């Protein structure tokens, strides 16, 4: 859990950091964060299918999807550094011009995903269902504000 | 470690499985496996920079990179199902026509990456250096045989 909570300090440090500190080129950061979101979304989607009754509930698979989400969900935020607002990206300028609001949205998302990870590991479908709604809403809220259609 | 070793059975089951069993469309599988490779490559690259003296060695960061590799390295292989040989992919047909050879290359890569993960967690730079060479070679061997330039 702790790693989700302390992400904020990492994020703030990273937004003020040139992208080349972690990535050779800004476009590498863009590619990396999109890849992280793709992997996260795929595994979140599999939990969503179970929670929504579109796939059979399998506690072991749910826990495995949760493990991937736990590992990947913290990754993309380190890749919004300087110079990564351009290129093949749907990132809105507000990520950088309203960085406190972006930080809040990311924090909320990380907290909700941490609940999903915990719920998926209980082996209880109702716990998973309860956690998925708010988490999905927190994904959508950030997309609505900070991602172009 | 065990998850690296038992991957093979998963891979064989998956190669015989229609992509839609795990992905809505074959192109979703292609996008997902490329994303997994991108994330894996970024974190492998960070370990490589430390091992090669291009970045300062930091035991904590090395262990964190290893955690991501451990979570992500097993993912792309589930996304080489039926119908995923087409589209925006550099996958060579040999993945499917020489599936036993592909399986061997993946097994080798998973075994070497498991050694990297273990070495990165020792906190010992020499252990990391020793593991990185064979792991990088196993990435390259698979790319050379099964990925278009």
């Amino acid at each position: 859990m702790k790693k989700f909570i302390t992400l904020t300090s990492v994020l703030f440090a990273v937004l003020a950091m040139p992208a080349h500190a972690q990535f050779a080129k800004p476009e590498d950061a863009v590619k990396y964060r999109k890849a992280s979101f793709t992997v996260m979304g795929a595994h979140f989607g599999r939990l969503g299918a179970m929670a929504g009754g579109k796939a059979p509930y399998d506690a072991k698979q749910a826990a495995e999807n949760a493990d991937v989400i736990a590992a990947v969900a913290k990754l993309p935020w380190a890749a919004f550094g300087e110079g990564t607002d351009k290129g093949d990206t749907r990132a809105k300028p507000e990520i950088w011009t309203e960085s406190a609001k972006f930080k809040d949205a990311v924090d909320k998302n990380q907290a909700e995903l941490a609940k999903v990870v915990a719920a998926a590991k209980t082996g209880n479908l109702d716990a998973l269902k309860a956690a998925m709604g708010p988490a999905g809403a927190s994904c959508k809220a950030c997309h609505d504000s900070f991602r172009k259609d």
Side-chain angles (χ1 to χ4, degrees), chain A residues 20-78:
Chain A
H20 59 74
Q22 298 208 25
F23 299 96
K25 302 186 296 288
E27 51 266 43
D28 293 344
V30 171
K31 183 179 177 185
Y32 169 87
R33 74 189 180 213
K34 289 167 70 174
S36 309
F37 284 126
T38 294
V39 174
M40 179 160 57
H43 290 272
F44 189 79
R46 290 179 198 176
L47 290 181
M50 288 188 211
K54 291 179 185 163
Y57 177 66
D58 181 308
K60 184 168 171 285
Q61 284 181 20
E64 287 172 358
N65 283 308
D67 282 337
V68 178
I69 292 169
V72 174
K74 61 184 181 295
L75 301 181
W77 320 112

Side-chain angles (χ1 to χ4, degrees), chain A residues 4 44 106-118 130-139:
Chain A
F4 285 97
F44 189 79
V106 172
D107 279 356
K108 173 76 176 161
N109 177 248
Q110 296 295 298
E112 295 298 345
L113 286 178
K115 291 179 197 168
V116 165
V117 169
M132 286 297 287
S138 76
C139 296

Side-chain angles (χ1 to χ4, degrees), chain A residues 55-145:
Chain A
Y57 177 66
D58 181 308
K60 184 168 171 285
Q61 284 181 20
E64 287 172 358
N65 283 308
D67 282 337
V68 178
I69 292 169
V72 174
K74 61 184 181 295
L75 301 181
W77 320 112
F80 284 92
E82 199 182 304
T84 68
D85 54 335
K86 293 177 284 290
D88 185 19
T89 177
R90 291 158 73 194
K92 285 188 183 173
E94 286 77 4
I95 289 172
W96 295 273
T97 58
E98 298 179 21
S99 59
K101 197 181 153 201
F102 181 60
K103 170 191 161 302
D104 285 346
V106 172
D107 279 356
K108 173 76 176 161
N109 177 248
Q110 296 295 298
E112 295 298 345
L113 286 178
K115 291 179 197 168
V116 165
V117 169
K121 294 186 166 200
T122 61
N124 181 308
L125 177 56
D126 287 333
L128 180 62
K129 284 181 181 174
M132 286 297 287
S138 76
C139 296
K140 184 177 183 304
C142 203
H143 295 165
D144 287 348
S145 297

